[in-house]
Amino acid sequence: DAGVIQSPRHEVTEMGQEVTLRCKPISGHNSLFWYRQTMMRGLELLIYFNNNVPIDDSGMPEDRFSAKMPNASFSTLKIQPSEPRDSAVYFCASSFGENGELFFGEGSRLTVL
Amino acid sequence: GENVEQHPSTLSVQEGDSAVIKCTYSDSASNYFPWYKQELGKRPQLIIDIRSNVGEKKDQRIAVTLNKTAKHFSLHITETQPEDSAVYFCAASTGSTDKLIFGTGTRLQVFP
């Protein structure tokens, strides 16, 4: 398996633009997580899905952020409109079973100017 | 809410010395405690984990200890090498869910 695949790896956009980050979890994994990493706040859990259903979105900063998982092999994290403070590395991760090992993608580095 | 505190934030050691990183957690229902290593510009990767039914686990030069009563757990790296230099994150599960809360990270530097 190629592991968790994220795209794009890098995104530079201007304030106010819509940003869509994509993730393909490891085949067979039933949980998917979106994390945001910044120097100031470390690794923050934004939202996680189990069997494609959102379980906990308490970490989503505000209404500008939304996430979907239409099927077991694809998820998106959307920011609309984007702001400079959204600049961060966004990691997608997947796991299997209860407290299974979390496998991270390589991350999407977002810069909002 | 759930919280994981990690200390120290930075740690510098000489090659061959030991390094210890400590974490405390707030949710008494937490039962899974993994440690991740993140090299510069790379993704976090699991290096060792421990579950609440054991107090200590060892894998070659790394070991983790867990004290459920005090709600803290520690990572021990012996005979450190320059390639151990990275940021290390502890994490704790939240009750019966698969949600992991991460500590703020420890930047370990091993000097030759």
Side-chain angles (χ1 to χ4, degrees), chain B residues 41-109:
Chain B
K42 301 285 183 67
R43 73 188 88 184
Q45 292 190 287
L46 179 73
I47 55 171
I48 194 168
D49 58 14
I50 191 167
R51 298 180 190 270
S52 59
N53 57 342
V54 298
E56 184 173 353
K57 184 175 177 181
K58 191 172 181 180
D59 183 3
Q60 297 182 359
R61 294 186 299 107
I62 59 173
V64 57
T65 58
L66 171 65
N67 183 329
K68 283 221 79 180
T69 303
K71 286 193 251 180
H72 66 70
F73 56 114
S74 301
L75 177 72
H76 304 251
I77 306 174
T78 58
E79 299 171 34
T80 53
Q81 300 167 4
E83 52 265 38
D84 294 330
S85 297
V87 179
Y88 291 81
F89 292 94
C90 64
S93 65
T94 53
S96 59
T97 72
D98 292 325
K99 178 175 164 181
L100 282 180
I101 303 298
F102 281 82
T104 49
T106 297
R107 182 173 299 280
L108 173 65
Q109 285 187 297

Side-chain angles (χ1 to χ4, degrees), chain A residues 30 32 47-56 69:
Chain A
N30 60 347
L32 182 141
I47 185 171
Y48 88 94
F49 297 83
N50 183 258
N51 293 323
N52 313 338
V53 175
I55 302 300
D56 185 338
M69 191 164 186

Side-chain angles (χ1 to χ4, degrees), chain A residues 72-94:
Chain A
S73 58
F74 184 66
S75 177
T76 58
L77 178 68
K78 188 172 290 188
I79 309 172
Q80 166 65 17
S82 58
E83 297 182 3
R85 59 189 167 129
D86 301 331
S87 298
V89 179
Y90 291 81
F91 284 103
C92 175
S94 69

Side-chain angles (χ1 to χ4, degrees), chain A residues 4-49:
Chain A
V4 176
I5 299 173
Q6 290 187 245
S7 65
R9 293 291 313 280
H10 302 275
E11 173 101 3
V12 180
T13 191
E14 291 187 345
M15 185 173 66
Q17 296 298 304
E18 178 180 291
V19 174
T20 299
L21 307 178
R22 298 173 178 80
C23 176
K24 181 181 186 317
I26 292 173
S27 178
H29 282 193
N30 60 347
S31 292
L32 182 141
F33 306 78
W34 283 100
Y35 283 90
R36 178 172 69 177
Q37 186 173 37
T38 60
M39 288 293 292
M40 292 296 294
R41 300 174 70 90
L43 270 167
E44 301 174 273
L45 178 64
L46 301 177
I47 185 171
Y48 88 94
F49 297 83

